[in-house]
Amino acid sequence: MEAKSPSECPNTVTVRRNPHRRARPTPFASTNPNPNAQNPNMKREISSFPIQDILAMEIPQKNPPEPPAPATSENLKVYLRIRPIVTLKPNTKDQKNFRQRQKNAWPQNPSSKNNSANVKKSTTTTTTTTSSNEVCIDVNDSHSVILSPPASLQDSKRIKSEVYEGFSHVFASDSSQNEVFEKMVKPLVDDFLNGKSGLLAALGPSGSGKTHTVFGTPREPGMVHLALEQIFKEAQQCGSKLTREFKVSVFEIYSDRGKGEKISDLSPDGGDLSMQQATIKGLQEVAISSAAQAESLIACAMLKRTTAMTNTNSQSSRSQCIINIHSFVRDPDAEPNNAVLTIVDLTGAEREKRTGNQGSRLIESNFINNTSMVFGLCLRVRSLLEHQSNPKKPLKMHFKNSMVKPPINEYLVAYEFAYSTQFDFISPQLTRYLRDYLEGKRRMTLILTVKPGEYDYSDTSYLLRQASPFMKIKFTNVEEPSMFLNKRHIEMLPRVEQAKKMKCSGRYAKTEEGKSVRDEHQLLPKVTKRIYTSDSVSAAPVKLDSVDLPRERNHHVMQNFAKALWNVLKQYKEKLMDPRCQNDFEPGNDQDVFAEAPECNTTQKSDGTPGHDQNIISEIEESVHFLNLKAIECDGSPRKDREATPKKYDSTPIQDQNVIYEIEEKDHFLNLKASECDGSPRKDQGATKKCDYTPRHDQQPIFSQIEEKDYFLNLKAPECDGSARKDQGATKKYNYTPGHYQHVFSQIEEKDHFLNLKASECNGSPRKDQGATKKYDDIPGHDQHVFSQTEEHVHSLNLRASECDDSPRKYQDVVTKKSLDPSVSPKDVASTQKCNLDVPESELLSDSSCKPLNVLKPKRRLLPASSTLLRDIPLGIEDESENPKGNRGAKKSAAEETKRTQGSISLLRLLQSNLHV
Ligand SMILES: Nc1ncnc2c1ncn2[C@@H]1O[C@H](COP(=O)(O)OP(=O)(O)OP(=O)(O)O)[C@@H](O)[C@H]1O
């Protein structure tokens, strides 16, 4: 047969999913098409490489990638400002007032600071500059100074003049505020406006001019005011509308009468603050839109600041004052180059001899000195660490002029000590707050203020010696402002929000876990298969880190539950496949069934699964469980059923897991429904066996944890329409039920239980019934335990002996005349169970209460072959009737004998006699 061409096949449609892409025409191809391509018959000639054309093409020049910015390495900028010599020449009256005020100079009422300020101005009215020989420090050049000891010290201690160099700039005593601002603060402001954060800290002895430099006076505004003016000036030059938003916060750290440090918000509505790690909690940031507004805020803060009069300063600052100027970009689309400019006015180190402080003021003075000392110590250690990072640099350079040269370890210990929170008296809060600066992560500028008087030599010399290593400090890898602010923002979040943030990140990870969980749901067959083929160890519950989350915990529990259920079903399947268990169903081996059933269980428990399951289920805290185990119809052949049964349950864990996963109810319903068994005996046998062990393993651990109040145990024996062997199987199904529910009931606290065992029609032959009776041989023992542990108030045992075809009238009459006694004993149950009990569903539903059996008239079914089938079954009815159990029952009072039980016994005896067993 000739192959047809594709064109002859009209129904064939070729769909190309991924059509070939057309090559994008190059400029050369579009402008200079190859003529040979248009005429393929022409001899192709290899054209020369169009190098000229290519070279003529203009290739857009791309800017080469910028090399990564080198790591910023900046030296700590240290400025030195020499205060003009101020001699206090108060008149007699002012001096008297000064001494009076000095007595009561302890942290003044902020409201009275105006008065003290006025007093200060009145007492420091005269400023004179001493002659050159009266000063201890002179400007050598713009970066160095000469410190000269007083003549007295030169003669006695032979101290020579020293040169301190390396300053970024030295401001002479006659320098103006504007000069200081232009050279020292303006670069900081420019960086600030460019998004770089910075710190300006004023350090020096008391009365050296720190506050004057930082805040100034109305006539000589300080760096804060000048900086604010510059900031708004620059910001307004960028456009009519401010693209940035500025906020100012002012707070102070002061000593609470020597009891400890306190932080106070100096903003108008500010109060006490607290520090958490390196952040100030509750600090108010006041939005400002103009320099005047900011100046007003600063002036108000200065009125609130803690000051006092000392011998060295009529208005000595008794606290560290910190001003933050935050810059925020208003445009959300703009580059987030937020920055903060921090200006710190530290308390000045003071000597007791000069200040004349006593008592609590002396403690406060110690606090102040410690603050300065620790701050300087941190910087010195910082310089030491800088040396360690650059060992080539001689160490002595760092401490050339230092008075104290402790070993390195001592510095490190002191460094840690400075950050320690255990010693509040050294003011760790300031160093903690400025830790990023002290550790070199942010840009910092120091302004050292000194007094030039000859009596100020010691203070000046001490400061210069302490600060001499500062100039060598290098800040490498300075954190970018945006990064810093982001980190700072996170740090400023309360713990709860941080935890949320962490949780969010964790949740993100857990979202992936959740995804995997969902994937596990989708791949549950694989999971279950893994569990099925693995031992108990490998079938350990999947570890989920999110147990703390309720939902995931629920999932975890449910997953374990499903695994436990699956293991039970696995055991059940194994039991079905176990030939010993299969032989148990052979006639005459019924007794052995009960004897070997535990053995089968033991064998299957050898992997430890039940115990494992119990442990797993013990984790179940859910209030609601629905376990719906329904034996579905067994329609197939025996072999098919035997294998189909576990297959049916293969999916049960998945279904149950999914079902139970969604359940949040309070009630538990255990509905075990044995459906119709229509198949052959082997089929029923398999189906029955399934029902035998499913509850035993599944529900025992489950119910051991159940705390619910309502249980409904509905055991429904379906109609057994099949042959005697079918009934035998169906009956056998209930043989194990009491044993199973023995454990169930042991945990039940419910008040109402209804065990409705309804004997339905006995359609089989006498041998069938006989066989059925044998199936219940072991039931009394089980039931006895069951009922002995049951605390129910109401028990209704409805055993209905339905018609038996082989002895229709007699049995029917006997049975129907008997009424059920609720107080039937297990023994009675045992005796009654010798009848092939079968409970139609319809009856069971309607029979939750005790109703006489004669109300119901089950169908009569004739099964002619039943007697022959039962002939093969060696029933031990005689033995059973003569069983000690029966004797035990005889011991009971006649009142305890229920009519139903008696009727059942009579029925069985009639069966025996009529069937000639
Ligand atoms: N450069 C200066 N020009 C004129 N006066 C100055 C200068 N520096 C300081 N003063 C004056 O010296 C006095 C003390 O200055 P200031 O209060 O600033 O010292 P301080 O270092 O802040 O002291 P403390 O640490 O005790 O607060 C103030 O009256 C101030 O006006």
Side-chain angles (χ1 to χ4, degrees):
M1 183 177 179
E2 293 182 6
K4 293 182 178 179
S5 62
S7 60
E8 296 175 359
C9 183
N11 294 330
T12 302
V13 178
T14 302
V15 178
R16 188 184 294 277
R17 284 191 169 187
N18 298 315
H20 294 298
R21 290 184 179 177
R22 289 186 177 180
R24 188 179 298 172
T26 60
F28 172 78
S30 59
T31 54
N32 300 307
N34 188 3
N36 295 336
Q38 298 177 353
N39 189 0
N41 297 327
M42 289 181 63
K43 185 180 179 181
R44 295 186 177 180
E45 294 181 357
I46 299 175
S47 59
S48 60
F49 189 76
I51 183 65
Q52 296 300 328
D53 296 333
I54 292 175
L55 292 176
M57 290 171 61
E58 289 186 359
I59 301 174
Q61 295 292 329
K62 272 189 176 179
N63 294 330
E66 294 181 357
T72 55
S73 178
E74 303 173 5
N75 279 33
L76 174 65
K77 293 181 178 178
V78 181
Y79 295 88
L80 178 66
R81 187 180 191 186
I82 304 171
R83 194 203 75 171
I85 292 180
V86 179
T87 56
L88 183 63
K89 293 182 179 178
N91 56 29
T92 317
K93 187 178 178 182
D94 289 340
Q95 194 170 8
K96 186 179 178 182
N97 292 337
F98 177 78
R99 286 174 182 170
Q100 276 185 342
R101 298 169 67 92
Q102 191 178 0
K103 272 188 175 179
N104 306 317
W106 179 256
Q108 299 172 351
N109 188 354
S111 60
S112 63
K113 285 182 180 177
N114 283 332
N115 299 332
S116 62
N118 295 334
V119 171
K120 177 181 177 182
K121 295 207 175 294
S122 63
T123 54
T124 56
T125 51
T126 308
T127 301
T128 57
T129 303
T130 58
S131 59
S132 59
N133 57 357
E134 292 178 342
V135 296
C136 63
I137 186 170
D138 282 323
V139 177
N140 186 30
D141 57 24
S142 59
H143 302 285
S144 62
V145 292
I146 300 173
L147 182 65
S148 302
S152 57
L153 289 177
Q154 286 184 5
D155 297 338
S156 60
K157 297 187 178 180
R158 298 181 181 179
I159 299 176
K160 296 181 181 178
S161 298
E162 295 173 316
V163 176
Y164 290 89
E165 58 187 1
F167 297 101
S168 299
H169 191 83
V170 175
F171 299 103
S173 57
D174 57 349
S175 61
S176 65
Q177 298 276 63
N178 285 328
E179 181 184 353
V180 175
F181 173 80
E182 288 293 330
K183 291 186 178 177
M184 182 180 68
V185 181
K186 195 168 183 301
L188 277 176
V189 172
D190 293 340
D191 287 344
F192 169 72
L193 293 174
N194 290 328
K196 294 181 180 179
S197 300
L199 168 70
L200 170 66
L203 188 66
S206 178
S208 60
K210 299 183 293 296
T211 306
H212 177 84
T213 302
V214 171
F215 295 102
T217 61
R219 283 196 303 173
E220 297 176 285
M223 300 302 115
V224 172
H225 299 269
L226 295 175
L228 288 169
E229 285 182 0
Q230 180 70 18
I231 287 169
F232 283 97
K233 181 181 173 185
E234 293 281 341
Q236 288 175 351
Q237 282 179 354
C238 297
S240 59
K241 187 180 178 181
L242 288 178
T243 58
R244 289 173 174 269
E245 183 182 2
F246 298 97
K247 292 183 178 179
V248 174
S249 62
V250 189
F251 67 97
E252 66 173 352
I253 304 173
Y254 64 97
S255 172
D256 185 18
R257 294 180 177 262
K259 296 176 184 176
E261 288 182 295
K262 275 199 171 182
I263 305 175
S264 178
D265 192 349
L266 297 179
S267 60
D269 300 329
D272 288 341
L273 305 172
S274 63
M275 176 175 282
Q276 194 171 35
Q277 294 183 348
T279 59
I280 308 294
K281 294 189 70 177
L283 180 63
Q284 293 185 12
E285 288 188 325
V286 181
I288 54 172
S289 55
S290 64
Q293 190 179 356
E295 289 176 7
S296 174
L297 175 68
I298 299 297
C300 182
M302 288 302 100
L303 291 178
K304 292 182 68 175
R305 188 183 181 187
T306 305
T307 57
M309 181 181 289
T310 65
N311 289 341
T312 54
N313 192 350
S314 61
Q315 192 179 6
S316 176
S317 304
R318 314 311 293 175
S319 65
Q320 288 90 25
C321 183
I322 299 101
I323 299 171
N324 291 316
I325 305 171
H326 285 264
S327 168
F328 302 96
V329 177
R330 283 180 172 173
D331 187 5
D333 299 330
E335 189 178 353
N337 55 351
N338 301 333
V340 56
L341 176 63
T342 304
I343 300 175
V344 179
D345 180 18
L346 293 169
T347 53
E350 52 194 20
R351 286 184 293 167
E352 177 189 349
K353 192 184 291 184
R354 295 199 65 184
T355 57
N357 294 332
Q358 294 178 348
S360 55
R361 178 67 57 80
L362 186 61
I363 298 174
E364 182 193 54
S365 182
N366 292 336
F367 155 77
I368 292 170
N369 289 332
N370 285 328
T371 301
S372 302
M373 182 268 293
V374 169
F375 188 84
L377 183 63
C378 291
L379 290 174
R380 286 169 66 84
V381 173
R382 176 66 204 162
S383 66
L384 185 67
L385 295 174
E386 174 63 24
H387 162 74
Q388 287 179 336
S389 63
N390 186 14
K392 293 181 180 178
K393 192 185 296 182
L395 182 62
K396 64 180 182 181
M397 287 294 293
H398 296 286
F399 306 101
K400 184 174 69 174
N401 298 317
S402 177
M403 294 173 65
V404 183
K405 298 177 183 176
I408 293 175
N409 288 339
E410 192 172 333
Y411 266 107
L412 295 177
V413 170
Y415 188 67
E416 293 298 324
F417 181 76
Y419 286 137
S420 172
T421 59
Q422 300 175 2
F423 305 95
D424 287 342
F425 62 90
I426 64 166
S427 182
Q429 294 188 347
L430 177 70
T431 49
R432 272 190 290 157
Y433 184 75
L434 303 177
R435 183 168 190 161
D436 289 332
Y437 295 102
L438 295 173
E439 289 182 349
K441 295 178 182 176
R442 302 176 72 182
R443 299 170 182 85
M444 180 168 63
T445 299
L446 277 181
I447 173 70
L448 306 177
T449 56
V450 293
K451 293 181 286 187
E454 60 176 348
Y455 297 105
D456 301 319
Y457 171 80
S458 298
D459 294 338
T460 304
S461 174
Y462 179 80
L463 176 67
L464 292 177
R465 287 171 184 242
Q466 290 290 320
S468 60
F470 298 169
M471 282 79 82
K472 308 296 187 297
I473 294 175
K474 278 194 174 182
F475 291 152
T476 55
N477 298 324
V478 177
E479 202 168 7
E480 288 304 316
S482 57
M483 294 170 56
F484 176 82
L485 286 182
N486 290 336
K487 177 190 170 188
R488 196 75 171 187
H489 177 68
I490 294 173
E491 285 181 350
M492 289 177 70
L493 291 173
R495 270 185 196 277
V496 178
E497 293 188 26
Q498 288 188 33
K500 281 182 185 176
K501 228 173 176 46
M502 292 176 66
K503 224 172 189 177
C504 198
S505 60
R507 183 176 284 277
Y508 180 76
K510 285 163 188 168
T511 304
E512 292 184 343
E513 284 185 6
K515 182 183 176 184
S516 65
V517 164
R518 285 191 295 274
D519 292 340
E520 283 185 9
H521 270 291
Q522 295 168 359
L523 301 174
L524 259 177
K526 291 183 180 178
V527 176
T528 53
K529 183 179 180 182
R530 178 177 60 81
I531 296 170
Y532 181 80
T533 55
S534 61
D535 55 9
S536 60
V537 176
S538 61
V542 177
K543 290 183 179 178
L544 293 176
D545 296 331
S546 54
V547 183
D548 55 334
L549 296 178
R551 187 172 180 180
E552 296 183 5
R553 183 179 59 82
N554 291 344
H555 170 77
H556 178 68
V557 170
M558 286 298 123
Q559 197 173 31
N560 289 335
F561 172 76
K563 286 180 180 179
L565 186 61
W566 175 252
N567 284 328
V568 168
L569 295 174
K570 180 185 70 175
Q571 293 170 17
Y572 166 66
K573 180 179 180 180
E574 290 173 356
K575 188 170 182 62
L576 287 180
M577 303 300 290
D578 192 347
R580 289 182 306 166
C581 297
Q582 293 175 17
N583 294 332
D584 293 341
F585 292 92
E586 291 298 325
N589 294 336
D590 290 334
Q591 194 72 29
D592 296 333
V593 168
F594 303 109
E596 291 185 10
E599 186 180 344
C600 294
N601 292 336
T602 306
T603 306
Q604 289 160 356
K605 284 176 184 177
S606 60
D607 58 356
T609 307
H612 168 68
D613 295 342
Q614 198 157 7
N615 294 334
I616 293 174
I617 299 300
S618 66
E619 298 176 15
I620 297 178
E621 300 173 5
E622 319 311 324
S623 301
V624 182
H625 285 278
F626 280 86
L627 176 62
N628 298 321
L629 298 176
K630 297 182 178 180
I632 57 175
E633 287 188 3
C634 308
D635 298 324
S637 64
R639 176 56 57 187
K640 171 187 156 193
D641 290 334
R642 198 176 300 163
E643 294 179 356
T645 302
K647 281 183 180 177
K648 266 183 273 182
Y649 284 95
D650 284 346
S651 59
T652 305
I654 306 170
Q655 294 170 356
D656 288 342
Q657 185 178 14
N658 295 333
V659 169
I660 293 171
Y661 190 69
E662 299 172 5
I663 290 175
E664 300 178 1
E665 284 69 29
K666 298 279 184 183
D667 303 326
H668 287 256
F669 293 92
L670 175 63
N671 299 322
L672 298 176
K673 296 182 179 178
S675 61
E676 285 189 1
C677 302
D678 298 325
S680 65
R682 302 293 295 176
K683 178 191 75 176
D684 295 332
Q685 186 175 1
T688 303
K689 204 167 185 61
K690 171 180 63 184
C691 298
D692 286 343
Y693 292 98
T694 304
R696 181 183 296 275
H697 297 287
D698 284 346
Q699 296 157 4
Q700 176 177 351
I702 294 168
F703 281 94
S704 65
Q705 303 298 324
I706 291 177
E707 300 176 4
E708 276 60 38
K709 298 294 181 185
D710 299 323
Y711 282 100
F712 291 92
L713 176 61
N714 299 322
L715 299 177
K716 298 182 179 180
E719 281 189 1
C720 299
D721 297 327
S723 64
R725 292 194 67 81
K726 180 189 76 176
D727 295 334
Q728 177 185 6
T731 308
K732 200 171 188 63
K733 171 174 59 184
Y734 294 95
N735 285 342
Y736 288 91
T737 305
H740 160 67
Y741 290 111
Q742 175 182 358
H743 300 281
V744 174
F745 289 142
S746 65
Q747 303 296 327
I748 292 178
E749 300 175 4
E750 280 59 41
K751 300 296 181 184
D752 300 323
H753 281 271
F754 295 93
L755 175 61
N756 300 322
L757 299 175
K758 298 183 178 179
S760 61
E761 297 180 313
C762 300
N763 298 328
S765 64
R767 292 197 66 79
K768 177 189 77 176
D769 296 333
Q770 196 172 7
T773 305
K774 193 167 186 61
K775 290 169 202 165
Y776 291 93
D777 285 343
D778 283 1
I779 290 177
H782 291 287
D783 289 339
Q784 188 170 10
H785 295 289
V786 169
F787 289 105
S788 65
Q789 298 179 21
T790 306
E791 300 175 4
E792 312 340 322
H793 293 295
V794 180
H795 285 276
S796 297
L797 178 62
N798 298 324
L799 299 175
R800 300 183 177 182
S802 61
E803 292 182 345
C804 297
D805 295 333
D806 292 330
S807 55
R809 284 301 112 196
K810 291 179 184 178
Y811 300 157
Q812 193 171 7
D813 294 339
V814 171
V815 171
T816 52
K817 286 177 182 176
K818 306 300 180 184
S819 61
L820 296 175
D821 189 350
S823 62
V824 60
S825 66
K827 181 174 54 185
D828 300 329
V829 176
S831 60
T832 56
Q833 283 173 341
K834 289 180 181 177
C835 178
N836 186 11
L837 303 180
D838 205 353
V839 184
E841 282 190 24
S842 58
E843 290 186 16
L844 192 144
L845 291 174
S846 62
D847 229 6
S848 58
S849 62
C850 300
K851 292 182 180 178
L853 285 173
N854 55 4
V855 175
L856 300 174
K857 293 187 177 181
K859 296 177 182 177
R860 296 179 60 181
R861 295 189 181 182
L862 298 176
L863 295 174
S866 57
S867 57
T868 28
L869 289 170
L870 282 174
R871 195 176 303 154
D872 300 332
I873 304 173
L875 301 177
I877 293 181
E878 285 292 346
D879 299 336
E880 190 65 22
S881 62
E882 297 172 3
N883 206 320
K885 297 172 185 174
N887 295 332
R888 287 199 302 269
K891 292 176 185 176
K892 296 206 171 186
S893 63
E896 293 175 354
E897 295 287 336
T898 64
K899 294 178 181 179
R900 184 175 59 180
T901 302
Q902 292 171 357
S904 300
I905 294 171
S906 301
L907 173 63
L908 294 172
R909 286 176 179 170
L910 285 171
L911 282 170
Q912 291 176 12
S913 60
N914 291 333
L915 293 174
H916 306 287
V917 177

